[in-house]
Structure formats: structure tokens, C-alpha cells
């Protein structure tokens, strides 16, 4: 029977090579260290070190001495004994963790009101906690970003955490990468896309595999990590005043539901691959406006200004205004709201996969 080679040896305290050596020996009666090395394609010295590590844990025994051969014991009893020892060690570590947590809560410089909430007033500490929570995420990070954003202060210049993440993570921190396999979903308030820098910040997560949407009038700033922890500002109007770290599962459930309702209403935006949409003047076969024109209408409906639309799409403000004016004349609309409403009623925005944004370096200033 084949033995799988991807067993979680880290849980036993064994190194990867020691685990492979044990797998090899349980299927063979007796092997020398040279035979083990040859079977695994490693050096004799490396095989010998792995065998000694296994012997120290009483997982293998020496048989004979000319040459020395090695034999594995019954895994259920030998590995079972080792795992029982590791469980005892983990139980002691968990007890010590609780003692450390009590010391952490009682520290005079922290405000931990309970196990459900933690108040962090220092911008540097907010950034550190954000980085810790992001790095430990395993499934999904949810992110709402809206103005006012915090500007970089002199005291943060020496830190490795960008200002936005130090202020309730207005943007995913590029220096703390999202762990592999973790889904990042961000919604940015359209009122925040007032310059090229803010747009580049919003698109930075998308460039690293995240998902971005835009919506006017976001209710709050928020980051939720794996539905187990969240960060929100103490005062929405002043994000530099500190943050509340939430551990309450009930409140996190409410915050996650809030995010999902916002996500459903927001406009998807993806990063242009360089081949992008067809020319803005090219008509679709069904008579609808071309893809880029529909992008403009979609962003118009989302509440973006002409300047913000130009930055997102990498077009000039004059081009955006020209096509909005032409579309208004075609539809007989007098206001931006009427343009978006009538375009929707004509089915121009149906089945739209989302807006394709230009790379930040190509956005109009």
C-alpha cells in the first residue's frame, strides 16, 4: 500500500526528511542508512541525521552493527506515544498562554475592556495589530474604506507599516502580503477617489489578486479577518484617534452581514490587462454602447465624478465629459442621474462583468 508523503509532520515535531525516512522504513523490514539515502535521493549524512532524530524519539531502532540497519516500530504505539507527549506540551503551553493573556490585559498602557474588545489608541500599534491579523488570516479578509484618510505623520516615517494600514487599514498593506489562499474583498467609497494616489491605493489590492468594488456613501471603515477579528475606528470622523479591535462573534456576524449587503450593491472593478476594452467609438453588434462606454455609465451610476471616472479608466477628463454629453443627447437625458437610469432601462448595463480599470501608472492626473 502506498504511503502518502504529505502528512503533517510539523505536528509531531519531526522535520520533513525525518518524516520521509519513517515512511520509507515502515514499508521495509530493515534498511541501512546508505539504502535509505539512496531510496530518498539524499546524502548519507542527511539520512543519518534523520535516523538519529527518529531514534531519539524512539520511532526506529538499530538492528545489527555490520552494517547498522534500521527498523521502524509499530506507528500506532510509537507515534501515538510521541503525539501524547506533544498534547501534554500543548496543554501546558495553553495554560501559559492564558497567564500571559491576563498579564497583557492588566498592562497599564493597554485598554482591554474584555475578551470581546480591545482599544488601541496608538497609530503604530494599530498598524502592528493589523499586520498580525492579516498575516494570521487563513480564509478571507473583508475591507471597507472611506474618507477621511489619515495622512502620514513624521512619527510613522520610520515604521514599515504604511499610514493607511496604521489607521484602520484604509488600504491593504503592500508590505504585509495577503497569505496565499486568502480571499481579499475591498469596497472603496467613491468619494475617496479624489486623486491618483487614492486610486492607486484602491487598485493595489486588486493587482495582488484581491477583488475591488466601488460604492458611494459607505457607512463606515472596517476590516474583518476570517470572521474572528475586526478593526474599526473609535471615531469615524477621526480615524487617527485610534481603533477598536473586535473579537465578539455576535458583533462580527453583524459586521460581516453589513459588508455583504454593501458588496452586493457595489460596482465591480478589475485591473486592465493591457488589452482591455475595444475602442470607445466601436458599437456592439446588439446596438448597445461599447464596453468602455458602458464602463463610464456604470461608474456614473456608482456616483463617481468625471475626474474619478477618468482616473479609474485611464482616460482624459475631457474624453469622459464628451462621451457623457453625447450619451445624454442620445438618451434625451438632462442630468447624470437620468443618464444612468435611462441606460439601465434600455438594458445597456445588463450582464456587465464589471468595470475594467487602467493600471495606476496610466491613470490621468
Amino acid at each position: 500500500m502506498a504511503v502518502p508523503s504529505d502528512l503533517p509532520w510539523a505536528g509531531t515535531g519531526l522535520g520533513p526528511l525525518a518524516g520521509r525516512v519513517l515512511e520509507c522504513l515502515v514499508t521495509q523490514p530493515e534498511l541501512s542508512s546508505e539504502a535509505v539515502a539512496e531510496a530518498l535521493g539524499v546524502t548519507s549524512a542527511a539520512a543519518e541525521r534523520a535516523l538519529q532524530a527518529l531514534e531519539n524519539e524512539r520511532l526506529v531502532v538499530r538492528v545489527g552493527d555490520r552494517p547498522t540497519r534500521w527498523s521502524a516500530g509499530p506507528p500506532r504505539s510509537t507515534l501515538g506515544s510521541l503525539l501524547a507527549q506533544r498534547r501534554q506540551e500543548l496543554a501546558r503551553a495553553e495554560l501559559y498562554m492564558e497567564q500571559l493573556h491576563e498579564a497583557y490585559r492588566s498592562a497599564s498602557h493597554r485598554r482591554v475592556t474584555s475578551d470581546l474588545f480591545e482599544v488601541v489608541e496608538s497609530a503604530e500599534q494599530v498598524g502592528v495589530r493589523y499586520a498580525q491579523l492579516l498575516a494570521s488570516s487563513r480564509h478571507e479578509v473583508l475591507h471597507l474604506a472611506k474618507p477621511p484618510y489619515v495622512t502620514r505623520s513624521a512619527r510613522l516615517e520610520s515604521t514599515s507599516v504604511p499610514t493607511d494600514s496604521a489607521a484602520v487599514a484604509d488600504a491593504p498593506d503592500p508590505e504585509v502580503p495577503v497569505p496565499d489562499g486568502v480571499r481579499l474583498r475591498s469596497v472603496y467609497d467613491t468619494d475617496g477617489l479624489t486623486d491618483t494616489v487614492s486610486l492607486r491605493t484602491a487598485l493595489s489590492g486588486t493587482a495582488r489578486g484581491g477583488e475591488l468594488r466601488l460604492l458611494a456613501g459607505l457607512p463606515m471603515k472596517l476590516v474583518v479577518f476570517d470572521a474572528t477579528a475586526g478593526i474599526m475606528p473609535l471615531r469615524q470622523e477621526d480615524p487617527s484617534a485610534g481603533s477598536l479591535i473586535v473579537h465578539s462573534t455576535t458583533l462580527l456576524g453583524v459586521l460581516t452581514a453589513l459588508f455583504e449587503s454593501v458588496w452586493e450593491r457595489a460596482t465591480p472593478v478589475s485591473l486592465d490587462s493591457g488589452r482591455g476594452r475595444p475602442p470607445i467609438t466601436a458599437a456592439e453588434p446588439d446596438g448597445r454602447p461599447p464596453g468602455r462606454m458602458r464602463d463610464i455609465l456604470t461608474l456614473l451610476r456608482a456616483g463617481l465624478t468625471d475626474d474619478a471616472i477618468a482616473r479609474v479608466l485611464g482616460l482624459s477628463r475631457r474624453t469622459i465629459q464628451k462621451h457623457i454629453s453625447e450619451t445624454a443627447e442620445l438618451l434625451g437625458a438632462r442630468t447624470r442621474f437620468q443618464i444612468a437610469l435611462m441606460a439601465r432601462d434600455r438594458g445597456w448595463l445588463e450582464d456587465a462583468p464589471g468595470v475594467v480599470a487602467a493600471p495606476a501608472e496610466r491613470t490621468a492626473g
Side-chain angles (χ1 to χ4, degrees):
M1 180 183 67
V3 178
S5 58
D6 58 349
L7 295 179
W9 295 112
T12 66
L14 297 175
L17 180 56
R20 292 175 58 202
V21 170
L22 182 59
E23 291 173 358
C24 178
L25 287 175
V26 296
T27 60
Q28 303 291 334
E30 298 173 4
L31 288 177
S32 65
S33 59
E34 290 79 7
V36 170
E38 182 178 356
L40 299 180
V42 299
T43 66
S44 295
E48 188 68 33
R49 287 193 298 270
L51 286 164
Q52 290 175 357
L54 292 171
E55 183 182 34
N56 292 338
E57 299 293 351
R58 298 180 176 83
L59 299 175
V60 301
V61 295
R62 299 173 186 256
V63 180
D65 57 3
R66 293 187 180 180
T68 299
R69 299 182 306 282
W70 298 87
S71 178
R76 184 170 293 172
S77 60
T78 55
L79 267 177
S81 176
L82 176 61
L83 292 175
Q85 178 184 340
R86 294 291 181 263
R87 283 192 288 269
Q88 292 177 357
E89 294 171 352
L90 285 174
R92 289 194 295 269
E94 288 179 348
L95 177 61
Y96 185 54
M97 174 194 69
E98 293 299 330
Q99 296 171 351
L100 287 177
H101 185 67
E102 288 304 315
Y104 177 88
R105 290 184 56 187
S106 62
S108 59
H109 65 285
R110 292 192 179 94
R111 291 174 58 190
V112 181
T113 56
S114 72
D115 289 336
L116 304 180
F117 304 99
E118 178 182 352
V119 176
V120 183
E121 295 179 332
S122 162
E124 291 90 341
Q125 284 300 314
V126 175
V128 169
R129 295 289 283 119
Y130 167 81
Q132 291 173 338
L133 291 169
L134 179 61
S136 62
S137 298
R138 294 294 176 266
H139 304 292
E140 184 173 53
V141 176
L142 311 176
H143 172 222
L144 298 180
K146 61 172 294 185
Y149 299 130
V150 175
T151 56
R152 183 177 291 275
S153 63
R155 64 178 176 162
L156 291 177
E157 290 293 342
S158 61
T159 70
S160 61
V161 181
T163 303
D164 284 341
S165 62
V168 200
D170 287 335
D173 182 351
E175 297 187 24
V176 183
V178 178
D180 291 340
V182 174
R183 185 185 185 191
L184 170 64
R185 290 193 284 157
S186 300
V187 181
Y188 273 74
D189 196 310
T190 56
D191 293 340
L193 301 181
T194 57
D195 52 44
T196 303
V197 174
S198 61
L199 175 61
R200 183 182 300 114
T201 300
L203 290 175
S204 63
T206 303
R208 300 194 302 276
E211 300 169 56
L212 170 66
R213 295 190 178 187
L214 303 177
L215 185 68
L218 289 187
M220 64 184 299
K221 292 173 178 279
L222 175 68
V223 188
V224 177
F225 307 88
D226 283 344
T228 59
I231 302 180
M232 53 194 296
L234 286 173
R235 295 199 293 271
Q236 292 290 338
E237 72 281 3
D238 184 12
S240 64
S243 296
L244 179 69
I245 300 178
V246 180
H247 302 285
S248 164
T249 55
T250 300
L251 181 54
L252 286 169
V254 173
L255 293 174
T256 299
L258 171 64
F259 175 89
E260 294 295 352
S261 69
V262 170
W263 181 259
E264 287 299 318
R265 293 183 287 115
T267 300
V269 177
S270 61
L271 194 61
D272 189 359
S273 65
R275 291 180 289 275
R277 301 287 201 190
I280 200 167
T281 56
E284 296 285 351
D286 58 5
R288 292 187 300 173
R292 258 311 180 219
M293 190 62 233
R294 278 183 285 153
D295 284 348
I296 294 175
L297 293 172
T298 299
L299 294 174
L300 188 69
R301 183 178 61 175
L304 271 69
T305 64
D306 293 346
D307 286 335
I309 294 173
R311 277 188 289 272
V312 170
L313 300 181
L315 302 171
S316 70
R317 183 172 181 268
R318 179 176 298 180
T319 298
I320 298 299
Q321 292 176 330
K322 173 179 178 293
H323 287 286
I324 289 177
S325 177
E326 291 176 352
T327 303
E329 183 177 354
L330 175 65
L331 294 172
R334 295 183 178 181
T335 66
R336 297 166 68 88
F337 177 77
Q338 287 179 341
I339 293 173
L341 187 62
M342 296 173 74
R344 184 203 63 185
D345 290 344
R346 290 199 179 194
W348 288 1
L349 304 182
E350 292 179 0
D351 302 323
V355 174
V356 179
E361 63 270 16
R362 286 171 41 200
T363 55

